[in-house]
Amino acid sequence: MSGVVEAKLAELGLTLPEVVPPLATYQPAVRSGAYVFTSGQLPMVGGELQLTGKVGAEVTAEEAKQLAATCALNALAAVKSVAGDLDRIKRVVKVVGFVASAPDFTGQPGVVNGASELLGAVLGEKGVHARSAVGVAVLPLDAPVEVEIQVELEG
């Protein structure tokens, strides 16, 4: 039976995906006490990277914003894999977004808004968080965006 958070995902027309398998030696998410830390999540759907390239060159800022939302959805799947139930989320504490950027692209915050907006739509006030949006030269598999989240769980 799905909980309130997964019902909200369904209401938004979204389905929680399977956890994206690690590309190297790490875990998709780790729990420490009341906190879950996810590894960086790429915009993978069905095992496939949705787009490649640099934002501001091969990928538009709007495309990248949608990819950041996909990353956040993948991060929620990683959280569920260790928390057991997304309804246990007390709040999203921090979001870090990495944007593979063309040299003159400065819209990283707008891109990472895709992740922030998804978390807010799904979790309401529990989705409000601190955040960093960082431009980088390249990401794994030439992904345009990577997002990691940290959440606090209820008891």
Side-chain angles (χ1 to χ4, degrees), residues 92-107:
V92 176
V93 178
K94 177 91 187 243
V95 171
V96 180
F98 302 95
V99 181
S101 303
D104 60 345
F105 183 74
T106 60

Side-chain angles (χ1 to χ4, degrees), residues 22-119:
L23 299 174
T25 308
Y26 61 88
Q27 295 297 310
V30 174
R31 182 173 176 186
S32 180
Y35 295 91
V36 175
F37 301 83
T38 71
S39 295
Q41 301 292 312
L42 299 179
M44 305 282 271
V45 175
E48 299 286 330
L49 194 59
Q50 295 304 286
L51 288 173
T52 59
K54 307 296 178 278
V55 181
E58 302 87 1
V59 178
T60 68
E62 190 55 40
E63 288 171 326
K65 183 177 178 182
Q66 293 302 315
L67 295 173
T70 299
C71 293
L73 191 61
N74 288 337
L76 287 174
V79 168
K80 183 180 179 183
S81 75
V82 297
D85 184 349
L86 292 177
D87 289 347
R88 295 190 61 215
I89 295 174
K90 184 174 183 178
R91 75 167 305 148
V92 176
V93 178
K94 177 91 187 243
V95 171
V96 180
F98 302 95
V99 181
S101 303
D104 60 345
F105 183 74
T106 60
Q108 293 83 5
V111 169
V112 181
N113 277 348
S116 296
E117 290 169 6
L118 180 125
L119 293 168

